[in-house]
Amino acid sequence: MKYTFNPPKRYLMGPGPSDAHPRVLKAMASPLIGHLDPHFVNMMDEVKAMVQNTFLTKNDLTFVVSAPGSAGMETCLVNLLEPGDECIICINGVFGGRMVDIAERCGAKVHKIITPWGKVTSLKQVKEALKTCPNPKLVALVHAETSTGALQPIQQISDEVHNAGSLLVVDAVTSWCGVPLKVDEWGIDAIYSGTQKNLSAPPGLSPVSFSPRAVKVLESRKTKVQSWFLDLNLVKNYWTGAKRAYHHTAPVSSVYAIHEALNLVIEEGLENRWKRHQEVHNKLRISLENLGFKYLVDKENRLPNLNSVYFPVSIKDESTLRSTLLNDFNIEIGGGLGDFAGKIWRIGIMGESCTENHVNMIIGALKELMDE
């Protein structure tokens, strides 16, 4: 029996992945070389430099985890938390809750700041939490909550966290390369992201970066990191130094892809890329509101590249309409999660999917379907 698979051409406008640039796909088709080949090691150095440039950081411990964004989340938490540590985690969607799960698996005592989905954590909430837990090892939050489209302010919270002598850990999976993100200026101590959102590379890698403060905590651990594969004391020797220590077989073709995708960001210019996402969002917002859609998140905390919207009351069967968009128009969008399942759509305009043409396609399709 012969098994064949021919993927259809889709326009990816959901919460991720996004469309990949043809140059990225072409790079993945390049001939394989060994993961310790000098040419590949040189490429690793270039990837590290470009990740530093796009994170806006000088952190030396900056590299790419050979697994998707969830592994970046786990890398940050398992390396910084030990059994008995206390931490504060902000929850305003799916991914804050996931951080809690990982931290508890590390044996940490977690103090939760719970905010309604679609809202952001306030400075006042953080101050109150620090009264209950005045010396947490770290405070973790999600910069861009993919489940709601909420964009979390960071700078003031960062100052409060550092005044308490704690580390700030940030999930930037859906914000990196799409909206302003300034690791050093904002005092972020540990950060992780993914490749499949605004970078527009295939999923499978997770860029991470650790401040000197975080490295000091890592190097003063009293217990082994619970994960061998994600133990930075081991992994960092593969990403730094003239003589690389073998740790694992890197996904060579995926590194080709992130190298080319990062080159595209550098060519466009990071600030130009942020501006493009905002401008295309503005066009999409006006068009959606004209059709009767309403945004979940208040304007001041709205993530431009992930649009969570209540659909008009005229749409009685949202799942069927989403299926029609996919099957008849080849446009993928996301449904709601948790309490918002069946109540909102999540429309992504990220990276290569962030163009006026993508907006024209989905709005044209919606007009046609809503007139039926």
Side-chain angles (χ1 to χ4, degrees), residues 2-6:
K2 182 180 180 181
Y3 297 92
T4 59
F5 176 66
N6 296 301

Side-chain angles (χ1 to χ4, degrees), residues 6-260:
N6 296 301
K9 168 59 183 172
R10 303 292 200 199
Y11 298 97
L12 301 179
M13 298 188 68
S18 59
D19 293 342
H21 193 284
R23 279 171 49 184
V24 173
L25 298 176
K26 182 179 178 181
M28 291 190 75
S30 300
L32 287 177
I33 56 178
H35 60 284
L36 290 173
D37 186 296
H39 289 282
F40 187 72
V41 170
N42 181 63
M43 174 179 275
M44 291 169 67
D45 288 339
E46 292 179 352
V47 167
K48 173 181 176 177
M50 287 190 285
V51 172
Q52 287 172 315
N53 288 342
T54 49
F55 271 153
L56 296 178
T57 183
K58 295 180 180 178
N59 290 341
D60 185 60
L61 187 52
T62 299
F63 68 101
V64 176
V65 178
S66 297
S70 294
M73 176 189 291
E74 194 150 2
T75 297
C76 290
L77 294 173
V78 302
N79 279 277
L80 298 177
L81 291 173
E82 298 188 68
D85 284 344
E86 291 190 82
C87 65
I88 296 173
I89 296 180
C90 306
I91 307 169
N92 64 337
V94 166
F95 295 97
R98 189 170 293 179
M99 285 197 281
V100 170
D101 191 1
I102 295 172
E104 289 178 340
R105 289 168 187 253
C106 294
K109 180 180 179 181
V110 179
H111 300 264
K112 305 172 187 176
I113 299 177
I114 299 176
T115 304
W117 284 31
K119 304 296 183 181
V120 296
T121 304
S122 69
L123 178 61
K124 181 180 178 181
Q125 287 176 290
V126 174
K127 288 181 176 180
E128 287 299 316
L130 286 169
K131 290 178 182 177
T132 303
C133 176
N135 301 114
K137 187 79 163 289
L138 59 85
V139 176
L141 52 78
V142 178
H143 185 213
E145 179 52 71
T146 316
S147 59
T148 66
L151 183 60
Q152 173 68 52
I154 288 181
Q155 233 170 336
Q156 283 187 316
I157 289 177
S158 175
D159 293 340
E160 197 69 27
V161 169
H162 292 129
N163 288 339
S166 305
L167 301 175
L168 180 65
V169 177
V170 171
D171 176 320
V173 171
T174 311
S175 58
W176 180 49
C177 294
V179 296
L181 174 64
K182 303 175 181 181
V183 171
D184 287 356
E185 183 178 326
W186 295 352
I188 298 171
D189 293 296
I191 190 168
Y192 59 91
S193 189
T195 49
Q196 75 276 19
K197 309 279 188 174
N198 304 303
L199 191 65
S200 279
L205 296 176
S206 179
V208 298
S209 186
F210 292 79
S211 72
R213 285 187 297 263
V215 172
K216 187 175 180 180
V217 169
L218 168 68
E219 292 176 344
S220 62
R221 289 181 63 98
K222 298 180 177 64
T223 60
K224 279 189 174 182
V225 175
Q226 70 173 39
S227 168
W228 178 90
F229 184 68
L230 301 176
D231 185 346
L232 291 182
N233 290 300
L234 304 174
V235 181
K236 67 181 181 180
N237 295 325
Y238 177 49
W239 275 88
T240 59
K243 183 174 175 59
R244 304 300 167 100
Y246 165 73
H247 179 261
H248 66 279
T249 302
V252 174
S253 296
S254 294
V255 179
Y256 291 166
I258 191 174
H259 184 275
E260 189 62 27

Side-chain angles (χ1 to χ4, degrees), residues 278-288 355-357 359-360 363:
Q278 185 62 54
E279 289 177 344
V280 175
H281 160 77
N282 291 340
K283 179 180 176 67
L284 176 64
R285 176 187 58 77
I286 292 169
S287 299
L288 287 173
T355 71
E356 290 194 3
N357 192 48
V359 174
N360 293 336
I363 296 301

